[in-house]
Amino acid sequence: MLGLAADRLRADMNRLLAFLFHQGILDEQFLQLQQLQDESSPNFVSEVVNIYFHESEKLLRSLRSLLMDREFSDYNRMGIHLNQFMGSSSSIGANRIRNVCVAFRAASEQNNRAGCLRALEVLEHEYCFLKNKLHELFQIQQQRVLAAGVRYPMQN
Amino acid sequence: MGLKLKQSYHHSAVAVKVNEQMGTKRGYTFIQSNRAWLPKFLLLWVMVMAFLSTWIYKKMDADNKVRRKEVLSTMCEQRARMLQDQFSVSVNHVHALAILVSTFHYYKDSSAIDQETFAEYTARTAFERPLLSGVAYAERVRHSEREKFERQHGWTIKTMKREPSPIRDEYAPVIFSQETVSYIESLDMMSGEEDRENILRARATGKAVLTSPFRLLGSHHLGVVLTFPVYKSKLPPNPTVEERIEATAGYLGGAFDVESLVENLLGQLAGNQAILVNVYDITNSSDHLIMYGNQNQEGDLALLHESKLDFGDPFRKHQMICRYHQKAPTSWTALTTAFLFFVICLLVGYILYGAAIHIVKVEDDFHEMQELMVRAEAADVAKSQFLATVSHEIRTPMNGILGMLALLLDTDLSSTQRDYAQTAQACGKALIALINEVLDRAKIEAGKLELENVPFDLRSILDDVLSLFSEKSRKKGLELAVFVSDKVPEMVMGDPGRFRQIITNLVGNSVKFTERGHILVKVHVAENPKPIDDAKAETCLNGGLDEGALISGGRQFNTLSGYEAADEQNSWDSFQHLVTAEALQNDASVRMTDADEAFQSVTLMVSVEDTGIGIPLIAQDRVFMPFMQADSSTSRNYGGTGIGLSITKCLVELMGGHISFISRPQVGSTFSFTTAFGRCKKASLSDTKKSNAEDLPSGFRGLKAIVVDGKPVRAAVTRYHLKRLGMLVEVANNVKIAASACGKNGSSYGSKIQPDIVLVEKDSWLSGEDGSLSLRMLDCKQNGFKLPKMILLATNITNAELEGAKAAGFADTTIMKPLRASMVAACLQQVLGTGKKRQPGKGILNGSSVLGSLLCGKKILVVDDNMVNRRVAAGALKKFGAAVECAESGKTALKLLQLPHSFDACFMDIQMPEMDGFEATRRIRMMESQANEQMNGGADEGSGRKDEWHLPILAMTADVIHATYEECLKCGMDGYVSKPFEEENLYQAVAKFFKTKPISDS
């Protein structure tokens, strides 16, 4: 029974991952990240991703506050934020967010405020989406670990 | 971001450049700056010229007129003078007649003159008065004397109208007359108005007087009458008018027929046709009376000349007026001259205008061209930018595809699915390779490819390339070998990456198109063409006595594999010469190298020879054109895009050489190129060698080896590799010679070495009698000699053969070709058991574990402001066993890297706030150099640790543009890895620094 559950969980996870790749939300960098996870650092991926979420939320907040400002003109700072965002996104393989960032940055380079606002909305939407999906993924993973944890003692 | 920034920077740079160029080229000429005025200039010119020619015409015309006027006046004067002279002559004569009459008629008591005498005399003297139609004498008769007079003469006095004269105070009847005017005899002259006036005036003045012109009696010609008074007594001196009137006895008159007179006169003169003469009596100034000429105003009214005539009567004034008959003719000369002048000037003006227009046009074109050129250059830059960007953008999804395919291949697949997936992966890899090539090509075209100039070991690069293709060549059963002449310096300065690319391209092509035979890469110094010529001559001499044996019906060629090669220069004859020449020069090599040091550069001749399908003759001239292959079927059969060779050519030319090839279809091709490399300075050589070059173990120095190979070229290649390990090598043609060599040591057989190793080529072993070999070997053993290690050299070997070989005594090992010095060394180490562990060659172990071995235990600093990136990088490096420390800014990194520190390497993000990676690196380098100086100052000899502080710093960047890489190098970084980390990429970057460590440590 439990083995079956584990298989199901794996299938779920693979399906979810396949979906994320297929939609271009993640790219192969995420796989690289997963490969880095081993016995010595079992929670590497979730750790990194959590840092990513933390940082990203900060960045999104400051981006929004920058844009909401009435006499807003600090496109430069926005660019720096976006670079940060882009860097971290490409590091974890959040491909679609990265692409939105590119568009966002293009808009900010042209001092196109309306474009920036639009891009920010898309970015926030994408970010929420990614966050949900990754949480889902981690939940499955956790379940797997739990399942495995149940199984291992039986094997031993 | 880096890419974007770079782009925008670049665009602005281009724009600036454009502006600059425009600015400098705006130095217009005079013509260019006044272009709008050109038509006006032309118009002005034409107007000025028109004015000038009119002026010329006017001037010439005026000259003409003046001349005409002068001619007229002289002619007129001449006529007037003549007329006047003739007139006065006539008047004088009439005067004389008057005196004659007074003398002979009145002073004589009885008149000596009667009508007959007078008529005769006047008739006979008529020639003296050509102007007078006739003369007559009228006597003064007072009314009181009329009857007496009429009685005396027998006729009555008549008036002009031939009527008996009415009673008057006085009469003046004509008593004598010339026969021509005899009709006026007895006519009273006083009855005519003009005559009467004349008579009164004449007797008052005592001089000749003239009437105004009137129609003469008889002839009806215009004429004047001349009247002279005749006095009967002598007049007192200065008589008064009364005295004169009193003394008057009669009047002598003559009629001037002016019209015929002037006619005659003018008839005598030349040019009378041309001019029209009028003579006027202008006594009454308001009413000019015409004496001669046509009253109708004809002829040229514009021009006339007046001449005064003095006929001796002060009371009367006459003048002559002359005109030209015809109007002044149009002056054709003046007109033509002026017109021609105008036309010439017009043409000159037009030519100048045309020239100016042309200049303007040319300059405009020039400027346009320049602008276009600038734009084209900008477009070119944009193109390469675009290509770089696009290729990067394509590479990212391609990596996704490849990654997923790799994942897919790891899952359970049916064989068909696996085949499909593998095909897809191969295609994807090919596509990425193509993108890289296109990118290269674009970079070269844009002139953005800059060559490095670093010292590198050419031989190890060739070995690397060979190892790349060893798998393929082994599969195809090709012999793949490299030979580098001893004269080629160990380390040269140049761009190893590009050199590797060229060799890889050429060898890759060769491998692709060769199905049998061999591929030989040969490098020698290209400054010594003479031995080859000699060798050629020798070949010609030996032409008939070729040693090539006939094997299985085909001719055996003296090449690496025995197959014919396209370029005969590469065959054994020249090759041997090269080798022996080197051997000869070996003694003098010390001196040679000293001399060579003087040259700054060395030109190498590299040739890649294959025995493939060759290039069809028709396609040979477009081999180096991009995207051109021999024919369309080539890409179908062999794949490839045809861009490789064009890139190769570009690269070779960039490196200051040229590439050429000789190819014979179905025989093979030989590509040769020359490149110029810098020589390494001795001092830097030792340093760089340690870090850069693959160190060959020195444990084999002095070992003796015998190579058994029937093919001299192949033997030479083997010898070359063994020599690199420092071994002494002998070549034996076959097994027998080798066996005898080791058997009869120091005997007459020549070879005086006791070999430690015998390397036998598989062919030689198979052809030689294996029985005898093992027998010999046994002999050796029994004789107590140390048995040499037997090694079999093979390109490919079947399992059965391998067993056979083991049985035949090749128990020690088999070295698979292609030979590489490092691999040979590894095998020998194994065989000889020199106690060294087998070094982890990269051909044997896969990259990941190599990376692990490279990075294991290293302490690495990761500098990145982005927490996520930092974490990921740290994770990746930790996975390979490195100890990682992190710093979130350049400043923190600087603090951590204060000397002395224990870091082995540093990964540096480029874009960081406050202090970016370039700046941080610059400061680190500064710190290091200061420390180094201090250290060198304190203790000259290096202490136990490294001689110098030099922390390898690798840039982490998401940017693939070459320029960024160059900037990294410029500020002192050692390399770069693209972000996010990829294993291969990381390995390539890290390998440079850590490669030699495990070996030198052990």
Side-chain angles (χ1 to χ4, degrees), chain A residues 29 47 83-84 87 91 105, chain B residues 1 4 865-866 869 871 980:
Chain A
Q29 187 57 30
E47 202 181 309
N83 270 336
Q84 285 251 355
S91 263
R105 199 181 54 184
Chain B
M1 173 67 194
K4 269 277 156 140
D865 64 315
N866 192 321
N869 287 353
R871 192 71 190 81

Side-chain angles (χ1 to χ4, degrees), chain B residues 463 466 480 718 721 793 815-821 823-824:
Chain B
D463 277 359
L466 240 61
L480 182 58
T718 313
H721 284 292
L793 296 172
I815 297 181
M816 295 300 285
K817 288 212 252 191
L819 293 179
R820 274 175 296 134
M823 192 191 67
V824 172

